[in-house]
Amino acid sequence: MKLVATEIAPFLTELFNRSMSAGQFPSTFKEAFITPVMKKPGLDAVNVQSYRPISNLSVVSKVLERIFARQLRQYLQSFDLLPSLQSRFRPHNSTETAILRVLSDLLEAVDKGDVAALALLDLSAAFDTVDHDILCRRLELTFGLNGPVLFWFQSYLRGRSQYIRRGMQRSSSVQLVCGFLRAQCWVPFCSSCTLLILSQ
């Protein structure tokens, strides 16, 4: 695609603009194939839990997703809708800044003579269980998304399918009713939305 970027850019621009203005995500971009990859060497190759599922989507789909994600992040930041304590997927924030904030709060409490305790919650496979309807409703009510933007997001989530591919073999397609396809470029957007919802 890089070799023909100049030639295809006008067509992709038209496709992307129409997609977003109409609030429709192209249905041909909604199927992913999952490649199972061993989590680490030495695990039992027969055990399904030894593998990490890697979703593969078309390059054009990922470009469209990135454009939409960037515009949505800009909207959330410009209206100060992101939670102040969210560190992931924000400029100048990281896991380190989150740890520093927690450590600072604990030390400040101890310095004041208060009792300090830290409770951690790890939601197993949280992204796999996100309900699409609840997510869209929260985006509408809490973050003010409506019209083509909300329709586009709903269209993106609905009608998705995936199948597993290993070598020349592939499974039958399965419809997704919750969770997200784990495209690398889409993860920041999904994670941001999910973190927003969990933090409210």
Side-chain angles (χ1 to χ4, degrees), residues 52-68:
R52 177 176 291 112
I54 306 297
S55 287
N56 299 276
L57 294 164
S58 76
V59 174
V60 178
S61 170
K62 290 194 260 187
V63 172
L64 175 55
E65 292 168 6
R66 272 199 189 168
I67 292 169
F68 184 83

Side-chain angles (χ1 to χ4, degrees), residues 3-78:
L3 296 175
V4 293
T6 307
E7 288 78 12
I8 65 172
F11 301 102
L12 292 180
T13 302
E14 180 69 18
L15 172 67
F16 296 166
N17 285 337
R18 286 190 184 194
S19 170
M20 287 192 264
S21 63
Q24 288 291 321
F25 187 81
S27 58
T28 55
F29 295 162
K30 292 186 179 186
E31 185 172 58
F33 69 86
I34 309 297
T35 304
V37 176
M38 275 289 229
K39 291 180 180 176
K40 55 185 175 182
L43 292 177
D44 182 7
V46 179
N47 188 344
V48 173
Q49 295 190 2
S50 300
Y51 295 89
R52 177 176 291 112
I54 306 297
S55 287
N56 299 276
L57 294 164
S58 76
V59 174
V60 178
S61 170
K62 290 194 260 187
V63 172
L64 175 55
E65 292 168 6
R66 272 199 189 168
I67 292 169
F68 184 83
R70 185 175 60 220
Q71 290 182 3
L72 182 57
R73 269 196 300 270
Q74 288 171 351
Y75 163 76
L76 294 173
Q77 290 168 350
S78 64

Side-chain angles (χ1 to χ4, degrees), residues 51-189:
Y51 295 89
R52 177 176 291 112
I54 306 297
S55 287
N56 299 276
L57 294 164
S58 76
V59 174
V60 178
S61 170
K62 290 194 260 187
V63 172
L64 175 55
E65 292 168 6
R66 272 199 189 168
I67 292 169
F68 184 83
R70 185 175 60 220
Q71 290 182 3
L72 182 57
R73 269 196 300 270
Q74 288 171 351
Y75 163 76
L76 294 173
Q77 290 168 350
S78 64
F79 289 97
D80 200 26
L81 295 172
L82 293 171
S84 60
L85 298 180
Q86 178 180 322
S87 293
R88 187 87 191 263
F89 306 118
R90 295 180 74 178
H92 315 295
N93 287 272
S94 65
T95 307
E96 288 83 5
T97 56
I99 292 172
L100 287 173
R101 174 61 191 258
V102 170
L103 181 61
S104 174
D105 289 347
L106 289 172
L107 292 175
E108 186 177 339
V110 170
D111 286 345
K112 290 179 180 176
D114 295 335
V115 175
L118 176 62
L120 301 174
L121 174 64
D122 181 14
L123 300 175
S124 178
F127 296 117
D128 297 336
T129 59
V130 173
D131 183 279
H132 295 165
D133 292 330
I134 293 173
L135 173 59
C136 290
R137 192 76 175 133
R138 287 301 302 269
L139 289 173
E140 181 181 14
L141 296 177
T142 307
F143 302 104
L145 298 188
N146 55 45
V149 176
L150 184 60
F151 296 151
W152 189 95
F153 198 85
Q154 291 169 334
S155 175
Y156 175 84
L157 293 171
R158 296 196 174 110
R160 289 198 157 271
S161 62
Q162 62 185 17
Y163 63 90
I164 299 172
R165 190 173 84 177
R166 186 157 186 195
M168 298 303 291
Q169 297 179 323
R170 64 163 281 176
S171 69
S172 56
S173 291
V174 175
Q175 293 292 313
L176 296 179
V177 293
C178 62
F180 297 101
L181 292 173
R182 295 174 181 235
Q184 187 174 3
C185 73
W186 184 246
V187 167
F189 178 52

